Amino acid sequence: AILHLEEALKIKATFLGPDHPDFASILMFIALAQLALERLDDCLTSLLGVRRIREGAIGHTHHEIGLILNNIACVQYEVGDSKTAEALFQEALDLQREAFTTDPSFLKSVSTLLRNIAFLHAKNGLFPKALIELEGALQIQQEILCGESDESEAITANIAHIMAIQKLQHGAGN
């Protein structure tokens, strides 16, 4: 699949130029294929290219950039760079706050971002921070998106899991 996508990328570059939105779309598909093949360094390079192209086309403050930053942060986490991942997640969250809209697809992306940040915090043992992010994600799901049951249930299960870990760490008598 990557070979065909790379061929399509060459065609787009030739006819539309390497800064065209269609070029960025194909590059994103390549990044996802690279991620599936666990070619994380290549995936990161592709995602950074997508970010550069899209920022040039729509600006840094567009909410789409937050989605791209979220994806880059996930890959950074996978390559073992938690600090960079956390900084990128925070940058994405700040951007989403600035670009706030009530569009359901936007709100779902914010909920996903909050869950990703919570995962990172939980992995780093920062359970209170993780709970705050999960509570925000749950609030979006229940109050704004009218509680898509699968999403809400998954978030609630994660909250319960983190609370159980905290209880075990602080002793059953606490």
Side-chain angles (χ1 to χ4, degrees):
I2 290 179
L3 293 176
H4 294 293
L5 288 168
E6 287 173 343
E7 187 62 32
L9 196 63
K10 288 177 189 174
I11 293 168
K12 295 288 183 185
T14 301
F15 291 104
L16 300 174
D19 293 327
H20 193 275
D22 288 351
F23 185 91
S25 295
I26 302 236
L27 194 55
M28 179 61 86
F29 286 127
I30 290 173
L32 295 173
Q34 291 165 330
L35 180 62
L37 294 172
E38 297 184 16
R39 292 175 34 192
L40 300 177
D41 291 334
D42 293 336
C43 177
L44 191 55
T45 299
S46 296
L47 287 172
L48 291 172
V50 170
R51 178 184 182 181
R52 179 191 56 77
I53 294 165
R54 296 306 294 150
E55 280 182 347
I58 59 178
H60 177 71
T61 59
H62 193 278
H63 68 86
E64 180 185 320
I65 302 302
L67 297 172
I68 296 167
L69 290 171
N70 177 65
N71 292 341
I72 294 170
C74 289
V75 176
Q76 286 287 8
Y77 175 79
E78 289 297 321
V79 298
D81 192 349
S82 291
K83 287 187 182 210
T84 300
E86 184 172 10
L88 287 166
F89 280 136
Q90 189 59 53
E91 184 180 352
L93 188 58
D94 292 345
L95 192 138
Q96 299 297 46
R97 283 185 183 128
E98 289 176 26
F100 187 81
T101 177
T102 57
D103 176 56
S105 64
F106 171 81
L107 293 171
K108 283 182 183 181
S109 72
V110 173
S111 178
T112 299
L113 176 59
L114 289 170
R115 289 170 30 201
N116 288 343
I117 294 170
F119 173 81
L120 181 66
H121 288 320
K123 282 292 197 179
N124 290 329
L126 303 171
F127 299 116
K129 281 183 157 183
L131 287 172
I132 290 168
E133 305 300 355
L134 286 172
E135 287 169 359
L138 185 61
Q139 184 177 11
I140 289 171
Q141 288 295 325
Q142 289 181 334
E143 294 177 16
I144 301 174
L145 296 175
C146 301
E148 290 184 14
S149 62
D150 292 343
E151 296 291 326
S152 295
E153 287 177 23
I155 295 168
T156 303
N158 287 331
I159 290 171
H161 184 76
I162 289 172
M163 291 176 77
I165 291 170
Q166 277 190 298
K167 188 169 185 168
L168 286 173
Q169 285 184 338
H170 292 86
N174 187 350

